[in-house]
Amino acid sequence: MDKNLHIIIAGGGTGGHLFPAIAIGEAIIQHAPKSHIQYLGSQFGIEANVLPVKSLPHSLLPIRGLNRSITFKSFAQNLILPFRLFASIKRTRKLFDELTPDIVIGTGGYASAIPIREAIKRKIPLVIQEQNLLPGLTTKMFSDKASRVCVAFPESAEYFKNEVFVTGNPVRIGIQNGDRKRAAQRFNLNEGKKTIFLFGGSQGSRALNRLMELSVDELSEDGFQILWQTGPQKSDRYKKNEKESVRIKSFIYDMADAYSISDLIISRSGALTLSEITLCGKASILIPFPHAAADHQTINAKALSEANAAVLIPEHNLTAGKLIEEATALLNDEDRLTKMAQNSKSLGKPDATEVIVNHILDVARS
């Protein structure tokens, strides 16, 4: 590069938007070490906790998403939304004046809309990275003004007027490099035993936790061991279910090792989760979050189930008995489990982050 780049990466609210942003930023620094990257998110998103812990340069806007629940609290939150919007626009303009970015990258979520809009207004080059098969609202609003749009699924192309680049999703560095033996020691599990890994995203899932609570005894009695991530606010309630073959964690920081010891994953079907599952080549039972915008988690999961890489079960069809039946059938059928894992691996895109960063640097150079 002929100059040091000043880059704003905007995205957050959930881990599905934040962790791709961090993965992209880390990869840019590897390619252009003198670049200055500023992450831009929301005070109310997961980034408010993650970015300070990682000591990454960041700014947080007072914006938050529209609360769709019907309660007095949600009504009050929505009532002050216009004031939060005005304050966030003002803060964003000031940041752009101070940072004078050469390029802006948007990874989606409500936290990215205002910075993306400001980039377009100032004619600053913009790259959008969309994780889900069905594009999110922010992507749909601004994609036709972006210099490049990178998508994870080829099926996403039909939702765009302009050309898109099918790159896959950026994932955490080394996510596929876990070690089963080390993982067994880390989680105090048996390296040789078939292992189920259940998690519901970075915040956990109440529905999945309840299903596992009703299933865990029978699954462990059938000879399987379970690694169970409950979410940071929920572990105390479920800790009583821990035993020799069941390990319960509020949050797992080393997901690479967690993936490495798992023979079957039970999870939601957020786009980033699926990118990690396929990159690691794991068979899965996917239970889409039924209230995701435009039901995009179901659309994501269908891409894997149609490739025979996963079993898709809608939450409203799922009982503890059905979960036990499906998991047991898979884990006891070595040929099917192996074939699903192979199909999953074939869908993974190990060079996705590299390809996305090449697009970003190409736009920045032009």
Side-chain angles (χ1 to χ4, degrees), residues 283-337:
S284 57
I285 295 174
L286 301 176
I287 307 156
F289 177 55
H291 306 295
D295 201 22
H296 69 259
Q297 286 208 5
T298 297
I299 296 170
N300 291 344
K302 281 181 178 177
L304 269 68
S305 66
E306 289 172 0
N308 193 28
V311 174
L312 191 169
I313 309 177
E315 186 178 307
H316 68 268
N317 287 345
L318 190 56
T319 62
K322 186 171 180 62
L323 183 65
I324 293 165
E325 180 184 348
E326 289 284 354
T328 301
L330 274 171
L331 290 166
N332 285 332
D333 189 339
E334 192 65 44
D335 289 343
R336 186 184 175 202
L337 194 67

Side-chain angles (χ1 to χ4, degrees), residues 144-160:
D144 61 336
K145 301 291 195 303
S147 303
R148 301 274 171 94
V149 177
C150 298
V151 299
F153 298 90
E155 296 90 341
S156 298
E158 66 179 276
Y159 299 102
F160 294 90

Side-chain angles (χ1 to χ4, degrees), residues 177-328:
N177 297 330
D179 180 82
R180 191 177 181 102
K181 183 176 182 179
R182 182 180 64 215
Q185 294 172 346
R186 181 187 299 276
F187 299 115
N188 195 20
L189 291 167
N190 185 331
E191 182 186 352
K193 240 182 171 182
K194 287 283 180 64
T195 305
I196 298 168
F197 177 28
L198 179 136
F199 61 99
S202 56
Q203 299 303 305
S205 163
R206 181 181 299 175
L208 266 60
N209 284 336
R210 286 177 175 172
L211 279 165
M212 181 51 74
E213 186 175 35
L214 295 170
S215 309
V216 67
D217 288 341
E218 188 167 339
L219 287 169
S220 59
E221 286 169 8
D222 286 341
F224 308 121
Q225 59 187 3
I226 296 150
L227 179 59
W228 176 3
Q229 179 182 281
T230 61
Q233 307 300 323
K234 305 172 178 73
S235 61
D236 289 346
R237 170 177 174 174
Y238 300 104
K239 203 70 177 174
K240 65 180 183 294
N241 295 288
E242 193 161 66
K243 60 181 86 172
E244 185 180 354
S245 57
V246 180
R247 295 288 175 259
I248 296 174
K249 304 291 181 182
S250 61
F251 187 82
I252 295 174
Y253 289 93
D254 192 347
M255 286 292 284
D257 275 356
Y259 283 129
S260 72
I261 200 168
S262 64
D263 299 285
L264 177 65
I265 289 168
I266 301 173
S267 73
R268 293 299 198 189
S269 49
L272 188 61
T273 293
L274 301 193
S275 294
E276 293 183 348
I277 287 173
T278 55
L279 188 57
C280 295
K282 297 296 175 178
S284 57
I285 295 174
L286 301 176
I287 307 156
F289 177 55
H291 306 295
D295 201 22
H296 69 259
Q297 286 208 5
T298 297
I299 296 170
N300 291 344
K302 281 181 178 177
L304 269 68
S305 66
E306 289 172 0
N308 193 28
V311 174
L312 191 169
I313 309 177
E315 186 178 307
H316 68 268
N317 287 345
L318 190 56
T319 62
K322 186 171 180 62
L323 183 65
I324 293 165
E325 180 184 348
E326 289 284 354
T328 301

